[in-house]
Amino acid sequence: MFKLRQTIIALTGLGMCCWPVYAEEAAASLDDLHLSDGLRTLLRTEMREIAGASQAIVMSFVSGDWKSVLHISEQIRASYILERSLSDTQKQELQEKLPDRFKRLDMEFHARAGKLGLAAASENAETVAFHFYRLLETCATCHAAYAQSRFPGFSSETPDAHHH
Ligand code: HEC
């Protein structure tokens, strides 16, 4: 069973309302989207950056360093792959190949980072924790839908993905 999911449900009281979302639609793995190597590399680079940033938030949070939480959240919020300096061809490729759901999850993810920043600015530990867990939830939701080959732990969540 997927522990992070249960932890997040317990911590945020989300219960059943939001998690099964990715089970409703047949998952399209990133492999099926056939992104060009350049874009795939860019996506992975962005992922590694936000992973580092998320880890840094943990330490800033437990240190009560709200300025740092705010700063890092702002960096995450601003790190849109869709807004990077892409060539017109690459922009068009993303527009055409990324499913709407992926774009929506990406937007939700960046919006959540914005809320985390606001919480940090108000120096409210409880609200910061809430939005941080919601942020991690968007990572996990997107990975379960589109990164199962990279994170096979999510594969039991969407049996549909294996019906090729
Ligand atoms: C909108 C979708 C989406 C969101 C949100 C998202 N990811 Fe990802 N992530 C992906 C996809 C797709 C891959 C797989 C890329 C591939 O296989 O080439 C990935 C891969 C990764 C990787 C592996 C990179 C590598 O070098 O192989 C890391 C680390 C990662 N994500 C961290 C995170 C963290 C941490 C968060 C949240 C703070 C997050 N991601 C949010 C879609 C997302």
Side-chain angles (χ1 to χ4, degrees), residues 1-109:
M1 197 50 193
F2 173 29
K3 277 214 189 73
L4 176 63
R5 170 175 165 174
Q6 287 171 331
T7 311
I8 291 168
I9 289 171
L11 282 162
T12 61
L14 283 177
M16 295 303 287
C17 86
C18 307
W19 269 97
V21 168
Y22 50 77
E24 286 166 14
E25 299 172 40
S29 133
L30 201 70
D31 295 326
D32 303 330
L33 304 179
H34 305 294
L35 288 185
S36 60
D37 289 349
L39 280 180
R40 190 109 187 217
T41 305
L42 208 57
L43 177 69
R44 287 202 177 123
T45 306
E46 170 171 310
M47 285 299 142
R48 285 195 293 268
E49 283 171 11
I50 62 177
S54 306
Q55 283 159 1
I57 285 177
V58 172
M59 206 50 224
S60 303
F61 171 64
V62 300
S63 317
D65 186 348
W66 310 121
K67 276 205 181 67
S68 170
V69 175
L70 173 60
H71 179 68
I72 301 165
S73 315
E74 188 49 37
Q75 283 179 335
I76 295 180
R77 196 195 56 74
S79 73
Y80 263 111
I81 186 176
L82 300 173
E83 285 180 6
R84 294 217 177 199
S85 46
L86 303 167
S87 70
D88 286 348
T89 326
Q90 285 178 319
K91 278 185 194 150
Q92 202 182 346
E93 187 190 337
L94 278 182
Q95 231 26 50
E96 282 168 9
K97 289 189 182 165
L98 290 184
D100 286 346
R101 179 151 183 254
F102 187 99
K103 293 177 196 157
R104 209 168 61 232
L105 284 168
D106 193 50
M107 271 170 50
E108 277 171 27
F109 167 71

